[in-house]
Amino acid sequence: MQKSEALFTRAQKTIPGGVNSPVRAFKAVGGTPRFITKADGAYMWDADGKQYIDYIQSWGPMVLGHNNAQIREAVIEASYNGLSFGAPTEAEVIMAELVSELVPSMEMVRMVNSGTEATMSAIRLARGYTSRNKIVKFEGCYHGHADSLLVKAGSGALTLGVPSSPGVPANVAEHTLTVEYNNLDSVKEIFEAHGDDIACIIVEPVAGNMNCIPPVEGFLEGLRAICDQYGSVLIFDEVMTGFRVSRGGAQERYNIKPDLTCLGKVIGGGMPVGCFGGRRDIITHIAPTGPIYQAGTLSGNPVAMAAGLAALTQIKQPGLYDSIFENTQTLVDGFQALADKHNISLTTNIAGSMFGIFFTDVEKVTNYKQAINCNTEQFNKFYHGMLEQGVYLAPASYEAGFVSKAHDAAVIEQTLAAADKVFSTL
Ligand code: PMP
């Protein structure tokens, strides 16, 4: 750990907390973040040469595994023609066509550079399209760090939003109404009170930022019905779930058609790409076809598009997800069986290649309150034990885990052998 420790000390002098995105700093679990030098398939290596099986997968993008040869070659090839033109390219057209084909509710799409930009832009579009101000989000769902989305609920479901970060003006936050995930009654109540001024519901159709919490039966259907009743826009934030819980995202897995969809992570194959899109009659309200402004110097960047196209072309191949989902199930079942063997209270959630493990007595975790009431002390011990054994899980108990194409049966077996050892020490 010497090199990671030295780099972390040095980093903290010129980078706040030593990291460029907070969760990387290991604040929740304590200890020194590992500085990574390379990654390949299911593995990553740190600055001290230690190898890890990686279940973060760059926080989601690497569904094909790290350092995918086709993506790498596509990036190298594209770079020979120049890195950015600020003018339209054929790659952007092919990308839009491919996204529409894989996610049919996205009749038209606009590329951006991150998930945050995608959700921020989709919200502005929904507000401009409906001429309404308020938005509804769910406690524990994360949609990037735009001001109106950095809000959590006050005490009751009908309480107007308060900022969850300094720097977000209260009069911005008050337009964000926060309700309980998987609780349709709380959504109905808020619509009864404010329905005429609610522009949209934005939801992670499988929540992945309060660990992994799939929608309970009827939840997404209910959101669809409420939006239809009140003329509000239903936005699926599929930045994490897109091309991950199914080829066509959560909307395909659960068979619900949102009005707008936000994508990120997998769509860029590891490059900074996001995208939002959906119903033609809504999205044509953005500039230049409509008055709602949205733009980006590097949006649709040719090198990023080449990476994304190489990723999506592989994702299009039939059968890709079968083994990934099967291996994820084996992993999750294995964690459960081992915890039971060692008398540890644990429950799991799974959606395709996303999974969550919760140290709790609760039988099934379905909302934020249950997720945050888990035994974080036990998780932190488990986390560090696994890290020591060479298994790199997300360094906080509120994060989902990801399995890639490269996590084969042998990798899963190796992970479970490590878990068996670590559970025995808890
Ligand atoms: N939405 C969801 C569901 C996410 O998980 C994230 C990032 N984890 C974002 C939006 C924001 O994406 P980005 O970090 O690319 O801005």
Side-chain angles (χ1 to χ4, degrees):
M1 268 237 293
Q2 278 174 349
K3 286 191 179 154
S4 280
E5 272 167 358
L7 281 167
F8 193 40
T9 304
R10 189 173 137 210
Q12 289 174 85
K13 292 186 183 137
T14 47
I15 305 172
V19 293
N20 280 310
S21 197
V23 73
R24 296 179 197 167
F26 277 31
K27 259 201 121 116
V29 291
T32 304
R34 305 305 193 261
F35 280 63
I36 301 301
T37 50
K38 65 170 183 174
D40 198 69
Y43 297 99
M44 291 210 299
W45 288 264
D46 72 13
D48 295 281
K50 187 173 166 80
Q51 176 181 296
Y52 302 92
I53 300 173
D54 175 28
Y55 286 100
I56 307 183
Q57 296 288 306
S58 189
W59 300 93
M62 303 302 178
V63 74
L64 298 164
H66 285 291
N67 198 13
N68 176 269
Q70 276 164 261
I71 298 176
R72 186 180 62 237
E73 294 306 322
V75 166
I76 293 168
E77 185 72 28
S79 72
Y80 283 117
N81 293 324
L83 299 185
S84 179
F85 315 130
T89 62
E90 187 181 9
E92 293 163 275
V93 185
I94 300 171
M95 176 59 100
E97 289 166 351
L98 195 50
V99 171
S100 287
E101 184 189 335
L102 293 169
V103 189
S105 78
M106 300 180 80
E107 295 166 358
M108 293 186 103
V109 300
R110 169 67 53 91
M111 304 310 294
V112 292
N113 307 291
S114 68
T116 294
E117 269 187 75
T119 55
M120 179 186 81
S121 306
I123 296 274
R124 184 180 308 129
L125 174 57
R127 282 176 160 152
Y129 170 74
T130 57
S131 303
R132 297 174 180 181
N133 287 327
K134 297 205 185 308
I135 65 171
V136 169
K137 75 175 280 289
F138 295 90
E139 197 179 12
C141 280
Y142 176 69
H143 303 289
H145 61 90
D147 282 354
S148 60
L149 292 164
L150 275 188
V151 174
K152 59 186 171 192
S155 47
L158 295 177
T159 313
L160 296 177
V162 292
S164 58
S165 164
V168 176
N171 58 2
V172 171
E174 74 184 27
H175 293 299
T176 302
L177 310 172
T178 310
V179 288
E180 191 179 56
Y181 196 75
N182 275 335
N183 179 349
L184 270 185
D185 287 340
S186 72
V187 185
K188 283 181 192 152
E189 253 177 77
I190 209 108
F191 268 84
E192 277 158 20
H194 301 283
D196 292 346
D197 195 25
I198 295 176
C200 63
I201 295 178
I202 184 163
V203 64
E204 287 181 70
V206 174
N209 289 285
M210 44 176 159
N211 207 324
C212 173
I213 302 189
V216 295
E217 218 178 311
F219 178 59
L220 298 175
E221 287 85 347
L223 300 184
R224 179 67 275 173
I226 291 167
C227 281
D228 289 344
Q229 184 186 341
Y230 287 91
S232 302
V233 176
L234 180 61
I235 304 175
F236 272 13
D237 177 355
E238 298 230 39
V239 167
M240 192 181 280
T241 54
F243 315 112
R244 162 80 43 202
V245 300
S246 160
R247 175 177 290 108
Q251 54 196 274
E252 178 181 86
R253 189 178 178 92
Y254 300 102
N255 195 24
I256 308 289
K257 196 171 168 190
D259 300 307
L260 296 177
T261 298
C262 302
L263 296 170
K265 299 189 191 274
V266 172
I267 196 177
M271 296 292 278
V273 180
C275 134
F276 67 102
R279 271 172 46 190
R280 191 180 301 275
D281 62 317
I282 298 181
I283 197 160
T284 43
H285 285 73
I286 60 168
T289 40
I292 302 167
Y293 197 66
Q294 193 281 331
T297 300
L298 295 173
S299 294
N301 173 272
V303 182
M305 289 301 99
L309 285 176
L312 295 192
T313 307
Q314 293 173 76
I315 278 164
K316 229 179 115 173
Q317 301 308 312
L320 172 89
Y321 289 88
D322 298 349
S323 67
I324 311 182
F325 291 178
E326 203 177 300
N327 289 332
T328 312
Q329 190 70 55
T330 307
L331 178 74
V332 161
D333 291 346
F335 278 138
Q336 186 70 66
L338 291 168
D340 293 348
K341 173 180 145 188
H342 292 286
N343 286 319
I344 288 162
S345 299
L346 184 113
T347 183
T348 62
N349 277 337
I350 181 169
S353 59
M354 270 169 80
F355 68 91
I357 51 175
F358 304 82
F359 289 88
T360 177
D361 289 327
V362 173
E363 206 172 307
K364 243 328 159 218
V365 174
T366 60
N367 64 41
Y368 178 67
K369 282 190 189 72
Q370 291 168 327
I372 61 165
N373 280 326
C374 290
N375 187 337
T376 43
E377 204 180 310
Q378 206 168 27
F379 170 81
N380 291 352
K381 272 192 202 150
F382 177 70
Y383 175 79
H384 280 291
M386 291 297 274
L387 196 63
E388 184 62 38
Q389 293 291 322
V391 180
Y392 192 80
L393 300 166
S397 56
Y398 310 132
E399 307 289 347
F402 303 107
V403 172
S404 82
K405 181 75 186 161
H407 292 70
D408 58 17
V411 169
I412 302 293
E413 200 181 307
Q414 208 183 328
T415 306
L416 292 174
D420 194 13
K421 279 192 203 145
V422 178
F423 278 136
S424 75
T425 67
L426 296 185

